[in-house]
């Protein structure tokens, strides 16, 4: 049994996996519990009923529908992971009103938030799952990266870097009919990386279904969909990547993908270095001068050219 299999799903993962099966009232309670874990950890059923506009009985039923033995079991689970749950979303949410309007305050808060996300990722991403992801990419004929809804740039960036270290990689970020062309010829020798935060859009759902049918292994990067999709994918890299109620950040996605790329390069250092050297040679041929000269050639002139003094007639 791997670490990922032994680790119980988080409240957010349980909610994401069971949301479609809940009643309207249970869904309302579940979404509140997921968004306010610290309140859920220490509030009574009656207090949570008032907060959600339901009842204490509805809260208890929801806890059981999420797979707990009741509200006490849910609260024990949350209290056991309180340090993780308090960061970064809830701390930032609690301090937003006191940040002030200055951009310096926003900068500091954003940096702190990402630092806490990184700390959380170190705790939550299972090393065995990460190793499996690296092995799949390293052995694949081709890695196809599927990032939708603003993740196309990140996908292209990582595909480029995988190519530079000698691994065939491309993106499949199109929407509509063109996506079919990108995924049509996927086979068992390939691997697909799919990124999804808290829900799947239509394109990601179709990619997963096609990969299942074609026998293509999928590496899933997600916030809360790990439990819901674990049976459909080969690897789940699950950690908190965004802040509920604020702008969705792709910083964590980029960090995880860069870590995968570097780990793949480390699997065959000679190959990675050889391809990087060859890439630099091609760049020099395209530029028409050595890369070492780029800095010199690109520097602005610091002083105007001297002119010869005019001779007096």
């Amino acid at each position: 049994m791997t670490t990922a299999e032994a680790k119980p799903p988080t409240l957010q993962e349980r909610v994401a996996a069971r949301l479609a099966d809940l009643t309207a009232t249970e869904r309302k309670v579940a979404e509140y519990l997921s968004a306010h874990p610290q309140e859920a950890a220490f509030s009574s059923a009656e207090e949570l009923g008032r907060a959600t506009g339901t009842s204490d009985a509805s809260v208890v039923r929801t806890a059981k529908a999420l797979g707990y033995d009741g509200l006490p079991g849910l609260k024990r689970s949350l209290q056991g992971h309180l340090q993780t749950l308090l960061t970064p979303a809830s701390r930032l949410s609690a301090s937003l009103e006191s940040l002030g309007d200055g951009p310096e305050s926003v900068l500091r808060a954003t940096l702190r938030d990402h630092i806490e996300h990184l700390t959380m990722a170190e705790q939550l991403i299972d090393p065995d799952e990460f190793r499996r992801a690296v092995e799949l990419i390293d052995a694949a004929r081709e890695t196809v990266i599927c990032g939708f809804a603003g993740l196309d740039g990140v996908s292209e960036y990582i595909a480029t870097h995988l190519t530079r270290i000698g691994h065939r990689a491309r993106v499949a970020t199109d929407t509509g009919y063109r996506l079919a062309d990108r995924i049509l010829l996927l086979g068992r020798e390939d691997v697909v990386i799919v990124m999804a935060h808290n829900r799947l859009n239509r394109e990601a759902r179709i990619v997963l279904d096609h990969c299942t049918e074609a026998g293509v292994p999928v590496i899933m990067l997600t916030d809360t969909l790990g439990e819901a999709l674990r049976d459909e994918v080969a690897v789940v890299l699950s950690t908190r990547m965004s802040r509920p109620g604020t702008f969705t950040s792709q910083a964590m996605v980029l960090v995880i993908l860069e870590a995968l790329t570097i780990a793949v390069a480390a699997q065959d250092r000679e190959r990675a270095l050889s391809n990087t050297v060859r890439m630099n040679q091609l760049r020099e041929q395209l530029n028409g001068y050595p890369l070492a000269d780029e800095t010199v050639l690109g520097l602005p002139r610091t002083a105007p050219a001297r002119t010869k003094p005019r001779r007096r007639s």
Side-chain angles (χ1 to χ4, degrees), residues 140-146 148 168-173 178-194 203-219:
R141 176 183 63 182
E142 184 176 52
T143 299
V144 178
I145 306 169
C146 301
F148 306 101
R168 293 185 181 276
R170 61 182 175 88
V171 301
T173 57
R178 295 198 65 182
L179 180 60
D181 298 320
R182 302 291 182 261
I183 65 175
L184 178 63
L185 298 181
L186 286 169
R188 295 177 182 272
E189 304 88 352
D190 303 315
V191 65
V192 172
I193 299 175
V194 176
E203 287 78 12
R205 179 69 268 171
I206 289 173
V207 168
L208 288 182
D209 291 344
H210 179 69
C211 287
T212 298
E213 183 178 349
V216 182
V218 174
I219 299 167

Side-chain angles (χ1 to χ4, degrees), residues 88-151:
S90 56
R91 286 186 183 174
L92 181 62
S93 177
S95 62
L96 276 176
E97 294 182 0
S98 61
L99 281 178
D101 297 326
E104 299 86 355
S105 298
V106 175
L107 172 63
R108 285 193 297 270
T110 302
L111 291 175
R112 286 197 301 267
D113 187 49
H114 286 325
I115 290 170
E116 292 183 10
H117 272 107
L118 288 168
T119 302
M120 185 183 296
E122 187 177 21
Q123 298 169 354
L124 295 182
I125 294 179
D126 178 49
D128 292 337
E129 292 282 273
F130 185 82
R131 178 179 292 278
R132 174 63 176 151
V134 171
E135 292 171 348
L136 285 171
I137 296 171
D138 186 51
R141 176 183 63 182
E142 184 176 52
T143 299
V144 178
I145 306 169
C146 301
F148 306 101
L151 284 162

Side-chain angles (χ1 to χ4, degrees), residues 6-24:
K7 187 183 297 181
T10 65
L11 170 63
Q12 289 78 11
E13 288 175 327
R14 290 176 188 258
V15 171
R18 295 168 170 81
L19 198 60
D21 299 325
L22 301 178
T23 66

Side-chain angles (χ1 to χ4, degrees), residues 230-249:
R230 184 166 295 282
D231 292 339
E232 301 184 46
V233 300
V235 173
V236 173
L237 299 178
S238 183
T239 187
R240 180 65 61 84
M241 298 182 190
S242 61
R243 303 187 302 274
T246 62
F247 289 108
T248 299
S249 171

Side-chain angles (χ1 to χ4, degrees), residues 57-99:
S58 296
V59 172
V60 174
R61 281 198 304 270
T62 303
K64 291 181 178 179
L66 293 175
Y68 296 100
D69 60 3
L71 184 60
L74 184 151
K75 293 170 66 173
R76 284 195 301 271
S77 175
L78 291 178
Q79 291 168 12
H81 299 87
L82 192 56
Q83 277 303 111
T84 299
L85 292 167
L86 286 174
T87 58
S90 56
R91 286 186 183 174
L92 181 62
S93 177
S95 62
L96 276 176
E97 294 182 0
S98 61
L99 281 178

